[in-house]
Structure formats: C-alpha cells, structure tokens
Amino acid sequence: MARPRKPLLSTDRIVETARALVDAEGLAALSTRRLAAELGVSGPSLYNHFRTKDEILEAVADSVSGQVDLSMFQDGRDWRTALHDWAVSYRAALRDHPNIVPVLARGPGRRPAGLRLADAVYGAMVAAGWPPAQATSIGALMRYFVMGSALGSFAGGFVDDASAYDPADYPHLQQAHRLAEQQEKIDERAFETGLTALLDGLAHQYEQVRRTA
C-alpha cells in the first residue's frame, strides 16, 4: 500500500505546529485557517480534534507546562532546593516559548500538565510542613515571580544608543546603553538574585512555622 503523501493529522501534530507558529509570530498569527494551511489540510479537519481556536491555544499552553521538570518534588530534595530547581526549569520553559505566557497566566484551568504542576508544588510544600493556606500562597507567589520574569527582558528594554540617555535628563543611566548587549547575563543574574531573596524570606517564615507547630 502506498504511503500517504502527507503525515496523518493528529492532536500532537496540530499542537506542535500551532506552538511553532505562536513561537515564531505571536498569538495574533494563530487562526484555524492559518494553522490548517501550515498543516496542509482543510480547516474543517481541525475540528475533529479541537472545537475552537481557544482549545488549540489551551493545548499549546499545556504542552509548554509539560516541559517543566517536576522530579525535584519526588527525589528527596528539601523544599527550598526543590522550589529553586523547579523555578529554574519553569522559567526555562517559558523563556523558550514567551509568546504563550499570556495564555498560561490565566491559570491552569482544566489543563492536565498545568494541574499536575500545581499539584506537585502544593503537595511538596504541605509534605514539608507548610500549612495548607501558606502552601497555596507559595505556589501563587512562585507563579507570579517566574511568569513575571518571562514576560519581558529588563536589559532588553534599553537601546544601545548612548545619546538616548542624556546625563542632563538621566544622571544615573549613563551606562544604560550597554545593558542590551549583556541582556542574557543581566536577566539571569536578576532572576537568581530575586529567587534567592524570595527563598530566603520563605525560609525565615518556615522557621517561624516550625517553632509554632
């Protein structure tokens, strides 16, 4: 039997193609018509797998959540180390797919990978001795921090033109034009600085929790 000329349409193939399109051109570029064209199929054939474009976006978002490592919550690492390592993995996934972050920011909803992520963080914190209410707050706090870091680059927000930062107007930004060329280094350092400060604060709260338990 002759092979089909085109790969068979599948949920995974639709999601992978949609994710690549969003990565390359942003959320506004995704439509069922454009996606069907990229896949080489007719538009209606997509509806055998997804009812709406929003469902496709939800699946793309969940595929990114599925890239986040959760093993640190299962292999015996202490809660602080686990949170640190998870935050680094989480940010890496979002950094690779920044255009889908606004969809992820809505919350996990019914997305399986997103719910597994939330369940792993909450469960690990409760198991470590955090009260349930505080464990919930920690999950929310980490989500705010990691997603915020993925929404844009601080260093990348400055132009590499020294004349844009006249000392007469901005006396403390004389070197700001050099930030863009070191964007990755600066952003990584800022993320680690913030993450360490956040975890230090939580560690202090944890000691208080343990003393009053």
Side-chain angles (χ1 to χ4, degrees):
M1 180 181 294
R3 291 183 178 179
R5 294 181 180 179
K6 298 172 183 174
L8 294 175
L9 193 61
S10 67
T11 298
D12 288 345
R13 185 169 168 240
I14 293 170
V15 171
E16 289 170 6
T17 304
R19 186 174 61 226
L21 182 57
V22 170
D23 285 346
E25 301 183 34
L27 291 171
L30 184 66
S31 67
T32 52
R33 178 178 296 181
R34 174 71 185 282
L35 182 56
E38 294 287 329
L39 289 162
V41 300
S42 63
S45 63
L46 296 177
Y47 298 121
N48 293 323
H49 301 271
F50 296 98
R51 293 175 296 178
T52 65
K53 184 184 83 169
D54 283 344
E55 282 193 1
I56 296 172
L57 281 173
E58 288 288 303
V60 170
D62 209 40
S63 73
V64 173
S65 293
Q67 296 175 12
V68 181
D69 183 15
L70 299 177
S71 64
M72 64 284 297
F73 297 119
Q74 304 162 350
D75 61 10
R77 273 173 263 191
D78 64 89
W79 70 266
R80 176 179 174 143
T81 302
L83 273 185
H84 174 277
D85 296 347
W86 168 73
V88 170
S89 178
Y90 195 6
R91 179 170 179 262
L94 300 189
R95 186 183 57 211
D96 290 343
H97 308 282
N99 292 334
I100 200 65
V101 172
V103 180
L104 285 164
R106 299 172 191 166
R110 297 176 182 273
R111 301 183 212 123
L115 290 170
R116 283 193 292 271
L117 188 154
D119 181 73
V121 175
Y122 176 80
M125 295 306 100
V126 171
W130 286 97
Q134 286 179 278
T136 299
S137 296
I138 290 170
L141 169 64
M142 297 299 292
R143 181 169 167 269
Y144 299 152
F145 176 71
V146 176
M147 286 199 175
S149 75
L151 284 173
S153 164
F154 172 81
F158 294 87
V159 298
D160 60 0
D161 178 4
S163 67
Y165 309 105
D166 188 332
D169 297 320
Y170 315 107
H172 306 295
L173 296 181
Q174 295 180 35
Q175 303 300 315
H177 64 286
R178 297 183 176 178
L179 293 176
E181 67 185 31
Q182 302 181 59
Q183 176 178 331
E184 184 174 353
K185 178 181 179 180
I186 291 170
D187 290 345
E188 288 290 338
R189 188 170 60 209
F191 178 76
E192 280 293 340
T193 298
L195 182 58
T196 298
L198 187 157
L199 293 173
D200 282 348
L202 287 178
H204 177 69
Q205 290 185 34
Y206 185 71
E207 289 304 314
Q208 295 178 317
V209 167
R210 299 297 287 176
R211 282 198 296 268
T212 59

